[in-house]
Amino acid sequence: MGALIPRPQGAPPARECSRTGAIGVFCIGIYGTAMFDTLSDRLGDIFDSLKRRGVLKEQDVDGAMREIRVALLEADVALPVVRDFIAKVKPVALGREVLRSVTPGQMVVKIVHDELTAMLGDDTEAGVSLAATSPVPILLVGLQGSGKTTTAAKLGLRLKTRDKKKVLMASLDVYRPAAQQQLAVLGKQSEVATLPVIDGQQPVDIAKRAMQAGRLSGYDVVILDTAGRLHVDEMLMDEVAAVRAVSDPHEVLLVADAMTGQDAVNVAENFNARVGLTGIVLTRVDGDARGGAALSMRAVTGCPIKMIGVGEKLDEFEDFHPERIANRILGMGDVVSLVEKVSETVEVEQAEKLAKKLQKGEMDLNDLADQLDQVQKMGGLGSLMGMLPGVAKAQKQMAEANIDE
């Protein structure tokens, strides 16, 4: 299946992660298989009802807006964000152009899609910015247990393999037992350099040493992994502010656990007020079916969600694309991500070889096994189907039927 689509000219070659041995990055499809599932199902039912009506009346739109409001609240989206969303969508949906349109239901879907995209942010903000003088300092902040250390390793691996950057990682966590050793182990697994540990050094001194090592050894990026606390406190904020002052980071990224819901929004507000964030990294999005934190954090803090962690492996880390996410929420698929996934995974030479075999009618069971393996490397049949427009309901029925791939 996958090998029939060759990699586009100029696309990056397939690559191998040192930790997993898996080729490429295959978890873009998780966007729709876990995160936002609850919201996507509810909105799908609402819009199906609207599309069945040839003519929309004001009471139809009013009813749909009430249901959308409830759906957003159930998805754990902050109440002020929901109010603002409905306030922007409803007047446009009640406009004369919509109510008199040939396809009023589709028009309402487009209005909601556009506002969802605006709520989630701008696609140009996706990914970490490296537009600064080398070494570019990136500061990771957040609460304990949010996944900062793993995120540092994931980001380091991504910058090394995809952007071909020389990366140095440094742990500033002198409080949690073996925190610095944990980053060193992850650095070995990802083959990304880590700053040697010197016992007794304080976070500010470690940050200074990391930046100096970055300059002297010609590193492109220095990732600073700060310590976390179980809750936001003055000591944590003062320490992070001091580290920021000595390192002058180009990016200050809040690492937040998507599964903490509205608490993540409160944490983002506190860090943004005290430290000044440039972006947010959401972790464990594969375990959150509601997605309210993602929808709320961008709207409440004004900080873009730049990256998301979509699994435990070091290569399961992706840019956050608002328009693609909005498409997935509304069941429109994500063809762009599908093409990217295929281009990163499929070997052109192998695909051309198989195409010639098919033309001659010489395909055998070994070729079939290769094809099935290729589908699994791209996230499985369910992941691929989730990216196709209009297949969300069929995908759900397949999951309920427990079909063996």
Side-chain angles (χ1 to χ4, degrees):
M1 178 181 172
L4 298 179
I5 311 174
R7 184 190 299 114
Q9 189 174 3
R15 53 188 182 271
E16 181 166 325
C17 168
S18 60
R19 180 187 183 197
T20 63
I23 299 175
V25 179
F26 312 120
C27 292
I28 304 172
I30 287 179
Y31 281 167
T33 57
M35 195 181 194
F36 299 116
D37 263 5
T38 303
L39 180 59
S40 182
D41 290 345
R42 287 294 305 273
L43 291 181
D45 293 340
I46 295 167
F47 293 136
D48 282 348
S49 176
L50 288 179
K51 290 174 190 174
R52 283 194 292 266
R53 301 175 185 269
V55 177
L56 283 186
K57 299 177 182 177
E58 287 193 18
Q59 53 263 40
D60 297 327
V61 176
D62 285 337
M65 291 301 118
R66 282 194 298 272
E67 291 183 43
I68 291 173
R69 175 190 173 94
V70 172
L72 289 170
L73 291 173
E74 288 181 351
D76 208 20
V77 181
L79 180 59
V81 177
V82 176
R83 285 175 176 162
D84 186 53
F85 182 85
I86 298 297
K88 290 178 179 176
V89 170
K90 189 173 180 179
V92 184
L94 285 172
R96 184 175 298 178
E97 296 82 3
V98 174
L99 297 180
R100 294 187 178 181
S101 168
V102 177
T103 55
Q106 294 284 5
M107 291 283 285
V108 173
V109 174
K110 182 184 183 306
I111 293 165
V112 172
H113 171 271
D114 291 346
E115 191 54 42
L116 265 179
T117 304
M119 180 196 293
L120 288 167
D122 190 338
D123 257 17
T124 59
E125 297 170 325
V128 174
S129 170
L130 300 177
T133 305
S134 297
V136 180
I138 298 175
L139 184 64
L140 302 183
V141 301
L143 298 185
Q144 186 174 314
S146 59
K148 289 190 302 301
T149 303
T150 305
T151 297
K154 286 183 175 184
L155 179 58
L157 175 63
R158 184 174 178 82
L159 293 176
K160 186 191 91 167
T161 55
R162 189 176 123 164
D163 299 311
K164 309 302 179 189
K165 300 296 183 183
K166 186 179 179 183
V167 182
L168 175 67
M169 302 188 296
S171 174
L172 279 58
D173 189 348
V174 297
Y175 308 103
R176 183 166 60 89
Q180 293 177 304
Q181 286 74 17
Q182 180 191 0
L183 186 63
V185 169
L186 291 172
K188 286 181 181 178
Q189 291 176 350
S190 59
E191 298 181 356
V192 176
T194 55
L195 187 73
V197 177
I198 297 179
D199 293 334
Q201 267 201 327
Q202 293 304 301
V204 172
D205 297 323
I206 298 173
K208 289 179 180 177
R209 183 161 61 91
M211 293 309 301
Q212 184 178 20
R215 285 188 287 269
L216 293 176
S217 301
Y219 284 96
D220 299 308
V221 181
V222 175
I223 300 174
L224 302 172
D225 174 26
T226 63
R229 302 288 191 280
L230 294 177
H231 60 276
V232 176
D233 59 27
E234 287 302 313
M235 182 180 171
L236 169 63
M237 291 301 186
D238 290 343
E239 182 180 289
V240 171
V243 169
R244 174 172 185 141
V246 299
S247 60
D248 189 24
H250 179 62
E251 290 270 29
V252 181
L253 303 176
L254 172 68
V255 181
D257 187 341
M259 296 180 70
T260 58
Q262 290 310 302
D263 285 341
V265 179
N266 298 329
V267 169
E269 284 187 295
N270 283 318
F271 271 98
N272 194 36
R274 289 294 303 274
V275 186
L277 303 175
T278 60
I280 296 167
V281 177
L282 277 181
T283 61
R284 302 187 182 100
V285 301
D286 53 320
D288 178 33
R290 295 179 298 176
L295 290 170
S296 300
M297 291 174 87
R298 172 67 172 84
V300 171
T301 65
C303 295
I305 299 170
K306 297 208 165 195
M307 311 285 294
I308 58 173
V310 294
E312 295 180 359
K313 296 176 183 176
L314 292 183
D315 60 351
E316 295 178 337
F317 195 58
E318 290 298 327
D319 293 344
F320 184 87
H321 293 282
E323 186 169 5
R324 299 186 196 180
I325 295 291
N327 287 343
R328 298 296 293 272
I329 292 173
L330 299 180
M332 298 177 181
D334 187 0
V335 176
V336 176
S337 289
L338 177 59
V339 171
E340 285 181 355
K341 178 182 287 193
V342 172
S343 69
E344 289 182 341
T345 310
V346 175
E347 293 285 354
V348 174
E349 190 176 321
Q350 183 183 354
E352 290 175 346
K353 183 179 177 182
L354 180 61
K356 290 177 181 177
K357 274 192 168 187
L358 283 171
Q359 288 173 350
K360 297 177 182 178
E362 297 175 353
M363 185 174 176
D364 55 25
L365 288 176
N366 288 324
D367 297 317
L368 177 61
D370 289 340
Q371 290 293 285
L372 294 175
D373 185 50
Q374 196 81 59
V375 171
Q376 288 303 312
K377 286 177 179 178
M378 289 191 288
L381 189 58
S383 172
L384 296 177
M385 286 186 66
M387 295 184 183
L388 298 174
V391 188
K393 290 196 173 181
Q395 184 187 11
K396 189 177 179 182
Q397 290 168 353
M398 282 181 63
E400 291 173 351
N402 197 25
I403 295 174
D404 189 328
E405 292 191 9

